[in-house]
Amino acid sequence: MSYAVKNSHQASRELIAFRIGDQEFCVNIMSVREIRGWTPATPLPHAPPYVMGVINLRGAVLPIIDLSARLGMKDAEPTARHVIIVAQVRSRVVGLLVEAVSDILTITEDNIQPVPEVSSDLEKQYARGILSIDKRMICMIELDALFLHKESEAA
Amino acid sequence: MKKKVLTVDDSRTIRNMLLVTLNNAGFETVQAEDGVEGLEVLEDANPDVIVTDINMPRLDGFGFIEGVRRNEKYRAVPILVLTTESDAEKKNRARQAGATGWIVKPFDPAKLIDAIERVTA
Amino acid sequence: MDMNEIKEIFFQECEEQLAELESGLLKLNDGDRDPETVNAVFRAVHSIKGGAGAFGLDDLVAFAHVFETTLDCVRSNRLEPTQDVLKVMLKSADVLADLTNAARDGGYVDETRSRALVKELEALANGEAPAPAAKTPEPATAAATPAPAPTDDSGFQPIPFSFDSFDDGEAVDDSRAYEISFRPRRELYTKGNEAALLLRDLSRIGEMSINCDADGLPALDKMDPEEAYFGWTIQLKTEKSEDDIRTVFEFAEWDCDLEIREAADAAPEEEVPMIPVPFDLSALDETDTAAETTSSANAAVEAVAAAETASSVSKMAAAAARVEKKEASATAASAAAAQNAAAAAAAGQTIRVDLDRVDRLINLVGELVINQAMLSQSVIENDTTGTSSINMGLEELQQLTREIQDSVMAIRAQPVKPVFQRMSRIVREVADMVGKSIRLVTEGENTEVDKTVIDKLAEPLTHMIRNAVDHGIETPEKREAAGKDPEGTIKLTAKHRSGRIVIELVDDGAGINRERVRQKAIDNDLIAADANLTDEEIDNLIFAPGFSTADKISDISGRGVGMDVVKRSIQALGGRISISSRPGHGSTFTMSLPLTLAVLDGMVVTVAGQTLVVPLTAIVETLQPEASSIHSFGANQRLISIRDSFCPLVDVGRILNFRATQANPVEGVALLVESEGGGQRALMVDAIQGQRQVVIKSLEANYTHVPGIAAATILGDGRVALILDVDAVVAASRGQSLKPEISLAATG
């Protein structure tokens, strides 16, 4: 379940990898607070299409982001098998809707390959790098960068 | 056997400083915010020495000292007056009321302790 | 507790004292002549000075001292507190506040201003009577004579007492022999001094032998135990100077006969016949202080000595018997604060509590309310038999929960007074700056509101007050020309009304220039050129974003665009604001704020399949529309007739984009709502589910402000329901779309 690709001289970090469609992504495990099953969200009026709504997380109101839509891919059609990754992004806690969580990875800096030239602005915005693990391509997501715009919306 | 000091001052800051100074010197400290509370606390406190301010709401230092001296039990308890005021008239009044000694604010902790040691057994 | 903590507490105390000072001065300004008011004002400055001295905040001490001196003149009736005098006092209070803040934050104060005030204060103090010494008392200066050497003409010696300041100090490098005769008078004992202790202290500075003169002692049956009968002659060999010896007696000097002579030789014999009494000083260090004597004649001496030292004995005995009193436990805040709290709690008045703890408690209670609601819901859904004991239990639980919630909310309630007091200073300063004469009248300062509301109220209020002073109230000349009192009045009031707090800001200025406002709104594309608006609606245009009527950017209130920011601040607090104005007579701002931020009484409704909560306070009545009462108007509007008047219908589902098509009013329910400054509207909802008290959950915490939505809540079924922002929805229905704000959210 857990892959370790370590260079013993470098600091390593842990990442959670997850799947959306046929692509794999990962985020820093330090940002992840918990993993939950999917529950229907209360929709928010005039919300952007990737904001599915809000749910109750032990008394706090948690916005659920359709990560697939946010990353520029197709809108998710959530089922009971979908998963919500509860993540801390700056001062906010949000829920990221993904299809499934796959692994916990431990990597070091030199495992990270640069993002390919063909990437669009969107990918450039959120992608931190690419990992090649066991013939799989896993894209590292920088959550803070992905949700930067939300800060400027604050009234 | 710790000596007990009753401090009466309406300034929170001064009360805190007295508390720290006296506790560090090994005294047990009881505090009151003004003359009225001072007299209320007096009975249970049974202090070895009293340190009091002059300017306080409800009952000022003069009234408090007089009140202490009227109480049989505390007729001879040493009372040190701690205040920024230094004019002769006020000092005289304090003495008339029954104060034992006088310390000027801001107080030098060492001198305060010394004064207390001197008037207590 | 370390010095930094004490210092922090000192600055907190300064804030309280400054508030007391201002409020007292304002009372005096209104004609209050109660001596206690004057005393309180004096004590406030005195306290600040005392504490500041302890931390070496010299500028603050210096100014406070001059201020205090002048206040002392008022206190002792040497200076009449006229309007002019109070003006100086109020300005001094402002400077004192500035100096305190500078001391706290490390800033700088306008020195020319403070120096000018110092001059004024001194003039006032000197003009009436010779003021007492303005300098803080210094230790004893040289006193060459053997007379009791006080620094001033009283019997008390101030401590600190520095040996270095004796410039004629008999610098003795070797021991001198002194002969000291010491005869206490009875007053010495009544002041709590102890001959035995004095002699003990004397013994600590050198070698000594004592002879006691007991001649004055009468027979036992004639003896007054409180009288002083003894005299002592002490031979002291010490390196210390004569003044040092006097220091030992300094407290008692006034109540005894004291003579200190340097003995030419060490011969201890004097003319006075004495009965040598071996005075065992070491005995004083033990609990038993009875002096030992060797002759029967001294038995009486012993008795009296015992009586005279009885107080010491009783104290020590008491000390031995004393039980440790309850000691406050150290808290994260500070041990002293806790101790004060314990003392204060015993007095039954107030207690200081860490705000974090209160917040945690409030959150927990909020969770409790939700939990209880969910429990009730579960039971209702699962329990078909409707067991009465369970139901009763649940009802009681609900009652209790509500009571706990109310009590907990009340903990954080604070009077608005401090905020109002700040405003009074702002009025003074701004009026000064723009050359107008304005007074601030406040009412209802003791009205209580949740602490967070108070904290966040200051900024919008400040803005409005500055606007009122700068733009609202006319110059004295203009006012006189208009037949008004040249001095303008601003009235700030607070009161509770139907579960909310209502704050009004009334000025008697020129009122809103409606033509200008209308034109500006047209220029800024806020309304159509031919739009037909009521006076009230025009007035409320000033709250629109981007609106400004200030032609110049004035120093005082910025661009004058502040009103939309003010409105947002008030709304962020869950409140509403509106304005009404009479040209020539002035304007009134009315703010209504929730008493607590955390709970809301709401009506739970369904709109387009979604559950929403509408604040009960906004709802006037509910209606069941009939086809005959619905009328179309223009392209998209519909009106409903209610008792002879027509009220616009608002399709909530459409506005919130929950449905793409228009709803049919007849198929649902209409909620008649009152919106601040917008008149009445009928909100269309699908159905009413019930009324409930809900716990408000912020959307902004993890998301952003959603237009049309005030906040969220969690219902009994565990799902999130949105709380409607009635004013925003009504505004949207007027053609002022929700969209502009949303476009931001839609990008990215």
Side-chain angles (χ1 to χ4, degrees):
Chain A
M1 202 17 198
S2 182
Y3 290 86
V5 183
K6 257 198 266 221
N7 177 328
S8 54
H9 297 303
Q10 287 193 341
S12 63
R13 69 176 99 149
E14 284 190 305
L15 308 162
I16 286 192
F18 53 87
R19 203 169 34 79
I20 297 180
D22 56 356
Q23 298 184 42
E24 270 194 281
F25 304 85
C26 63
V27 291
N28 192 330
I29 204 171
M30 298 302 280
S31 310
V32 176
R33 308 252 295 233
E34 64 185 272
I35 314 273
R36 284 178 66 103
W38 176 80
T39 49
T42 303
L44 295 171
H46 293 293
Y50 55 85
V51 176
M52 305 193 71
V54 286
I55 65 169
N56 166 19
L57 181 71
R58 286 187 303 281
V61 172
L62 185 77
I64 304 297
I65 312 291
D66 174 359
L67 200 51
S68 175
R70 182 72 187 88
L71 295 180
M73 302 179 301
K74 69 172 190 190
D75 293 354
E77 279 145 44
T79 67
R81 289 202 328 261
H82 276 67
V83 163
I84 294 179
I85 299 178
V86 181
Q88 174 103 30
V89 183
R90 296 166 197 275
S91 61
R92 301 194 149 104
V93 181
V94 300
L96 306 170
L97 181 73
V98 303
E99 278 176 38
V101 170
S102 44
D103 285 328
I104 296 188
L105 311 167
T106 308
I107 58 144
T108 54
E109 201 61 32
D110 55 357
N111 295 135
I112 303 175
Q113 298 178 26
V115 175
E117 287 298 314
V118 297
S119 31
S120 70
D121 286 337
L122 186 59
E123 278 96 40
K124 284 206 187 69
Q125 186 186 359
Y126 67 72
R128 163 103 174 53
I130 307 273
L131 296 168
S132 168
I133 294 182
D134 203 38
K135 296 211 174 74
R136 290 146 64 195
M137 184 186 89
I138 306 175
C139 178
M140 291 175 68
I141 294 183
E142 187 72 63
L143 283 175
D144 284 356
L146 192 56
F147 291 100
L148 184 58
H149 73 285
K150 287 246 186 312
E151 306 296 302
S152 60
E153 278 173 72
Chain B
M1 197 172 45
K2 280 191 192 175
K3 287 189 206 166
K4 198 169 195 179
V5 185
L6 167 62
T7 66
V8 187
D9 195 309
D10 64 332
S11 160
R12 214 153 63 236
T13 309
I14 299 293
R15 283 202 299 274
N16 285 338
M17 299 189 67
L18 286 170
L19 188 71
V20 171
T21 306
L22 294 172
N23 281 355
N24 284 344
F27 291 98
E28 192 188 327
T29 318
V30 179
Q31 304 202 301
E33 289 190 356
D34 57 45
V36 171
E37 200 190 345
L39 290 175
E40 283 167 2
V41 173
L42 183 68
E43 265 315 303
D44 291 326
N46 222 345
D48 296 301
V49 58
I50 299 177
V51 178
T52 177
D53 189 11
I54 291 288
N55 287 296
M56 298 183 289
R58 294 209 291 167
L59 183 63
D60 68 11
F62 304 127
F64 171 65
I65 296 174
E66 283 163 11
V68 174
R69 291 288 179 235
R70 267 200 294 274
N71 187 327
E72 267 301 307
K73 219 162 107 180
Y74 300 106
R75 269 183 326 152
V77 70
I79 302 179
L80 297 175
V81 172
L82 176 75
T83 182
T84 62
E85 296 200 84
S86 63
D87 67 280
E89 191 225 311
K90 296 262 164 31
K91 284 187 182 171
N92 218 17
R93 218 184 131 191
R95 267 187 48 242
Q96 306 284 24
T100 313
W102 183 281
I103 305 174
V104 169
K105 277 195 276 203
F107 63 88
D108 177 336
K111 300 269 164 61
L112 171 68
I113 303 299
D114 181 58
I116 292 179
E117 297 277 355
R118 284 164 54 191
V119 296
T120 53
Chain C
M1 182 175 38
D2 64 9
M3 277 323 259
N4 283 331
E5 286 176 314
I6 302 189
K7 203 170 185 181
E8 191 48 48
I9 292 176
F10 163 65
F11 282 119
Q12 278 172 23
E13 197 183 3
C14 280
E15 290 223 5
E16 293 169 16
Q17 299 292 7
L18 287 166
E20 278 294 313
L21 173 62
E22 165 132 3
S23 116
L25 286 175
L26 288 173
K27 276 200 222 159
L28 291 172
N29 207 18
D30 283 338
D32 181 335
R33 289 291 175 265
D34 183 356
E36 190 41 44
T37 311
V38 182
N39 268 329
V41 165
F42 174 87
R43 273 200 307 270
V45 178
H46 179 78
S47 258
I48 295 180
K49 180 180 115 174
F55 292 103
L57 306 168
D58 298 326
D59 288 339
L60 186 51
V61 173
F63 187 86
H65 184 78
V66 180
F67 196 178
E68 180 195 74
T69 309
T70 313
L71 282 170
D72 197 26
C73 294
V74 177
R75 187 168 74 146
S76 48
N77 291 318
R78 278 172 290 160
L79 177 61
E80 170 83 28
T82 61
Q83 289 281 337
D84 289 329
V85 169
L86 281 161
K87 258 215 180 98
V88 175
M89 298 283 174
L90 281 165
K91 280 199 236 164
S92 303
D94 292 343
V95 169
L96 191 65
D98 287 341
L99 284 165
T100 309
N101 288 333
R104 180 183 212 163
D105 306 321
Y108 288 97
V109 184
D110 180 359
E111 287 199 11
T112 35
R113 191 169 167 224
S114 41
R115 252 180 275 142
L117 269 172
V118 166
K119 285 215 174 65
E120 280 189 85
L121 285 168
E122 284 175 342
L124 285 175
N126 292 330
E128 308 300 324
K135 294 286 188 288
T136 50
E138 287 314 308
T141 49
T145 68
T151 56
D152 45 18
D153 49 8
S154 79
F156 283 117
Q157 296 276 12
I159 298 173
F161 193 100
S162 160
F163 294 129
D164 301 323
S165 53
F166 294 106
D167 51 28
D168 87 321
E170 319 231 316
V172 271
D173 348 82
D174 46 322
S175 304
R176 306 276 201 92
Y178 292 93
E179 187 179 284
I180 304 161
S181 90
F182 167 55
R183 181 170 282 275
R185 292 195 282 276
R186 77 180 287 152
E187 287 78 19
L188 185 140
Y189 297 104
T190 63
K191 305 256 180 7
N193 275 300
E194 274 295 337
L197 294 179
L198 291 168
L199 294 174
R200 173 199 69 181
D201 288 336
L202 200 58
S203 78
R204 287 185 178 152
I205 65 171
E207 279 173 47
M208 69 186 218
S209 66
I210 314 178
N211 287 313
C212 176
D213 168 19
D215 269 359
L217 189 65
L220 254 172
D221 57 347
K222 293 214 181 63
M223 196 165 62
D224 174 0
E226 306 211 341
E227 186 54 76
Y229 294 112
F230 292 111
W232 285 271
T233 306
I234 304 129
Q235 310 297 332
L236 181 68
K237 223 167 136 203
T238 176
E239 286 182 0
K240 303 280 183 197
S241 72
E242 185 182 318
D243 292 299
D244 299 330
I245 298 177
R246 285 202 183 272
T247 313
V248 172
F249 293 95
E250 66 180 323
F251 286 157
E253 230 165 349
W254 224 233
D255 298 315
C256 67
D257 300 322
L258 182 68
E259 272 182 44
I260 304 179
R261 286 185 294 275
E262 218 179 309
D265 51 1
E269 306 308 306
E270 288 301 297
E271 303 85 52
V272 178
M274 290 179 292
I275 307 168
V277 175
F279 204 91
D280 187 350
L281 289 167
S282 64
L284 285 174
D285 296 329
E286 298 159 13
T287 52
D288 172 22
T289 59
E292 292 172 1
T293 60
T294 53
S295 73
S296 59
N298 292 328
V301 172
E302 184 185 338
V304 179
E308 290 188 6
T309 56
S311 52
S312 313
V313 176
S314 68
K315 264 180 281 185
M316 291 190 206
R322 192 170 28 233
V323 175
E324 289 270 316
K325 291 291 181 180
K326 63 170 169 21
E327 210 130 332
S329 56
T331 65
S334 68
Q339 182 142 19
N340 285 341
Q349 295 191 359
T350 54
I351 183 168
R352 297 176 71 76
V353 181
D354 225 341
L355 202 57
D356 281 345
R357 295 181 174 191
V358 178
D359 286 343
R360 241 176 286 151
L361 184 60
I362 289 188
N363 282 339
L364 283 173
V365 171
E367 300 304 324
L368 182 65
V369 168
I370 294 176
N371 226 284
Q372 175 261 313
M374 282 171 75
L375 182 64
S376 291
Q377 183 103 1
S378 285
V379 168
I380 292 173
E381 283 169 5
N382 291 315
D383 178 28
T384 46
T385 60
T387 322
S388 66
S389 61
I390 294 183
N391 282 334
M392 252 172 48
L394 279 179
E395 261 183 51
E396 275 180 39
L397 182 61
Q398 183 170 54
Q399 263 306 102
L400 280 171
T401 316
R402 284 198 173 209
E403 275 186 53
I404 292 180
Q405 193 171 50
D406 285 342
S407 311
V408 160
M409 294 311 173
I411 293 179
R412 288 214 319 204
Q414 304 252 297
V416 291
K417 190 166 166 179
V419 179
F420 280 18
Q421 284 196 316
R422 292 233 290 267
M423 297 305 128
S424 124
R425 175 174 178 177
I426 291 173
V427 168
R428 270 204 301 283
E429 287 182 352
V430 180
D432 237 0
M433 263 199 270
V434 295
K436 295 181 186 169
S437 168
I438 302 179
R439 58 192 268 261
L440 179 72
V441 175
T442 58
E443 219 179 78
E445 303 173 308
N446 289 320
T447 311
E448 288 191 347
V449 185
D450 187 276
K451 184 175 190 332
T452 23
V453 173
I454 290 191
D455 290 343
K456 302 204 179 140
L457 199 54
E459 218 178 284
L461 264 188
T462 303
H463 215 105
M464 293 194 291
I465 291 235
R466 292 183 149 202
N467 268 348
V469 173
D470 197 16
H471 302 297
I473 303 223
E474 318 93 319
T475 60
E477 299 79 45
K478 278 217 191 99
R479 289 179 67 89
E480 256 184 317
K484 288 180 174 176
D485 184 345
E487 186 187 56
T489 303
I490 295 180
K491 196 161 161 218
L492 186 58
T493 61
K495 61 176 176 276
H496 287 303
R497 200 163 66 187
S498 47
R500 289 172 78 85
I501 176 172
V502 177
I503 297 180
E504 272 190 359
L505 184 68
V506 187
D507 71 68
D508 64 354
I512 294 212
N513 182 336
R514 294 209 172 102
E515 254 320 297
R516 235 167 114 216
V517 167
R518 216 189 109 89
Q519 192 53 52
K520 205 71 180 197
I522 294 175
D523 291 345
N524 287 0
D525 279 329
L526 292 168
I527 54 173
D530 57 355
N532 196 359
L533 299 171
T534 64
D535 282 344
E536 205 188 342
E537 287 171 334
I538 297 180
D539 291 343
N540 279 285
L541 282 173
I542 64 171
F543 291 117
F547 187 89
S548 164
T549 51
D551 292 331
K552 315 187 264 297
I553 300 169
S554 93
D555 245 347
I556 316 286
S557 34
R559 293 171 160 273
V561 274
M563 291 321 290
D564 69 326
V565 173
V566 167
K567 179 166 184 176
R568 275 173 178 254
S569 313
I570 301 290
Q571 284 180 329
L573 291 171
R576 300 190 282 268
I577 181 171
S578 66
I579 180 172
S580 76
S581 169
R582 279 207 304 153
H585 292 270
S587 314
T588 300
F589 284 93
T590 307
M591 280 161 282
S592 130
L593 294 160
L595 277 178
T596 75
L597 295 187
V599 262
L600 175 79
D601 281 313
M603 186 171 283
V604 183
V605 300
T606 333
V607 175
Q610 298 298 325
T611 307
L612 291 177
V613 176
V614 182
L616 218 48
T617 50
I619 303 178
V620 174
E621 63 181 286
T622 61
L623 311 161
Q624 189 69 54
E626 290 171 354
S628 53
S629 56
I630 312 287
H631 307 270
S632 293
F633 185 71
N636 297 317
Q637 298 275 32
R638 280 174 297 184
L639 307 174
I640 182 170
S641 59
I642 305 172
R643 294 183 290 271
D644 295 338
S645 65
F646 295 100
C647 179
L649 278 164
V650 175
D651 191 336
V652 178
R654 189 79 195 83
I655 288 188
L656 294 179
N657 217 20
F658 283 161
R659 64 159 77 88
T661 56
Q662 274 201 340
N664 187 347
V666 179
E667 287 168 9
V669 176
L671 304 176
L672 193 61
V673 296
E674 190 81 58
S675 122
E676 292 295 335
Q680 288 194 344
R681 293 288 186 281
L683 299 181
M684 288 162 52
V685 302
D686 297 352
I688 295 177
Q689 288 184 12
Q691 282 184 22
R692 208 163 302 166
Q693 191 178 61
V694 295
V695 176
I696 300 176
K697 295 284 176 186
S698 158
L699 269 178
E700 275 93 331
N702 285 331
Y703 188 55
T704 67
H705 171 72
V706 176
I709 301 296
T713 186
I714 297 171
L715 295 177
D717 62 1
R719 296 204 51 189
V720 177
L722 302 176
I723 300 175
L724 199 67
D725 179 350
V726 174
D727 288 334
V729 168
V730 167
S733 74
R734 246 195 264 130
Q736 287 170 36
S737 169
L738 283 173
K739 287 261 173 69
E741 299 171 66
I742 306 168
S743 60
L744 273 169
T747 58

